[in-house]
Amino acid sequence: MSSKDWIEKDYYAALGVEKSASSDEIKKSYRKLARESHPDHNPDDPKAEERFKTVSEAYAVLGDEKKRREYDEMRSLFGSGAFRRNARGGGQPGGAPFDVSDLFGGAAGGDARFGGGGLGDLFSSIFTGGGTGGATRPRGPARGRDVEAEVALDFSDAVRGVTLPLTLRAPGVCDTCHGSGAKPGTQPVACSVCHGAGVTTRNQGSFSFSEPCRNCQGVGTVVEEKCPECHGSGGVTKTRTLNVRFPAGVADGQRIRLAGRGEPGERGGPAGDLFVHVKVRPDELFGRTGDDLTLTVPITFAEAVLGTDLRVPTLDGTVTLRVPPGTPSGRVLRARGKGVVRKDGRVGDLLVTLDVVVPAKLSDEARVALEAFAEQTPPAAREHLDARVRRFS
Ligand SMILES: [Zn+2]
Ligand SMILES: [Zn+2]
């Protein structure tokens, strides 16, 4: 069942009831019409069969509270029949030529005019919930499955961006039949069970139930002479190599979606997507926080106290940083623009954390000098702690 059907078809008219009809009235009218048009009562009458189908289709929606609500909602959104193709041409509100298929055709890729995933998403969320139990149209070949892959990138490749060949062993479209599943030179033919409808209708008393045709799995066509390569499935297991572009700044744990690069659809259906999970190998020097790179640089106590100029590595070169006199341990210096440079113009920084290192051993000369230093230095500011300590002594 396509959403287009819902906009174009007036199921209330098909059942001969008012839009305000109660569910009992709908049921009653459906039973009467279904009995009258039932193929058993009208052998070899294609018109009756068509009417029976229309009535069943209408009841599959209106007879289901939830679907009926969705149907009403959709028709009120678009104005019932407002977009119905007019035999006289034109006639659309506002006069603009407008085809409903524009709205739904590009749903998978997201229609640019609706900001990607606008209306298409809205309706697919409505319709995936509704099920296709009452559908009397072929649902078409199934979409291929999404494929997941994992790639480990070097730290610097992730920062700068890289294109890597990615080899996947996954189902692909059969080259021999191009996915149709039919032997070259032959075509899939309409299913003899459902006559191409993709669904079969089973009758039980005065009710009829629609279900996907088992003979053709709901596709509406069957392959009579199977492709020797793929045995009729349209797909074969293939090793394929894709060049995947990882943008500058791609992060560990990120997922990159390559639309249409997943499993091909069955017998020519749309392909699924490929999702590449990115792992970034740690670097021995640099870390990363978002677009900023991080680096820890050890300095001596004297450097921290007296100040110094530090030359430190960046990912591509070096940068000199001023350590001002009296810099405490743990202070972070920022080298602007030395982080991740993204294509969209965002630039991160290099954050350098200074780590004042305490020597474990001292030469005699250094010890003498340090003791002299200690004598000249006021004690550390910890009077606030000493007061507390005295309470316990
Ligand atoms: Zn094939
Ligand atoms: Zn069938």
Side-chain angles (χ1 to χ4, degrees), residues 23-184:
S23 56
D24 269 338
E25 287 175 293
I26 288 173
K27 193 190 285 177
K28 235 161 110 187
S29 181
Y30 160 68
R31 284 186 180 176
K32 179 171 165 282
L33 293 172
R35 239 190 330 268
E36 285 170 359
S37 59
H38 200 284
D40 287 357
H41 302 158
N42 306 273
D44 301 316
D45 182 353
K47 264 190 186 162
E49 195 187 335
E50 193 54 47
R51 248 174 52 228
F52 179 72
K53 271 191 193 168
T54 307
V55 166
S56 306
E57 186 186 346
Y59 187 66
V61 175
L62 298 188
D64 179 316
E65 285 292 340
K66 188 166 166 265
K67 282 188 199 158
R68 183 183 176 187
R69 255 199 323 274
E70 288 171 358
Y71 173 72
D72 288 345
E73 213 169 283
M74 168 160 273
R75 302 227 346 144
S76 69
L77 261 176
F78 287 92
S80 53
F83 297 128
R84 195 180 310 198
R85 260 174 239 100
N86 194 316
R88 270 165 264 137
Q92 271 86 6
F98 191 87
D99 184 347
V100 212
S101 61
D102 284 351
L103 268 178
F104 301 104
D111 192 303
R113 285 171 306 153
F114 296 100
L119 282 171
D121 272 8
L122 174 64
F123 289 114
S124 64
S125 69
I126 291 176
F127 289 102
T128 45
T132 53
T136 54
R137 288 283 178 87
R139 63 177 165 85
R143 179 180 179 273
R145 267 186 308 218
D146 295 336
V147 173
E148 313 263 337
E150 192 178 289
V151 166
L153 299 182
D154 282 337
F155 186 87
S156 58
D157 282 347
V159 169
R160 295 189 189 106
V162 66
T163 300
L164 288 179
L166 178 65
T167 301
L168 293 168
R169 210 180 130 68
V173 179
C174 172
D175 288 329
T176 306
C177 63
H178 306 290
S180 78
K183 187 175 156 188

Side-chain angles (χ1 to χ4, degrees), residues 190-200 212-222:
C191 171
S192 61
V193 173
C194 63
H195 308 290
V199 290
T200 50
C213 173
R214 283 162 208 226
N215 188 47
C216 61
Q217 281 83 44
V219 176
T221 58
V222 289

Side-chain angles (χ1 to χ4, degrees), residues 271-317:
D273 299 334
L274 170 63
F275 292 96
V276 181
H277 295 258
V278 175
K279 294 257 164 222
V280 178
R281 295 191 196 98
D283 188 79
E284 55 178 6
L285 294 182
F286 297 98
R288 207 175 129 188
T289 311
D291 289 340
D292 293 332
L293 297 181
T294 59
L295 180 67
T296 297
V297 177
I299 59 172
T300 65
F301 175 64
E303 284 173 327
V305 174
L306 302 175
T308 185
D309 286 336
L310 278 181
R311 196 157 178 231
V312 300
T314 65
L315 210 56
D316 302 301

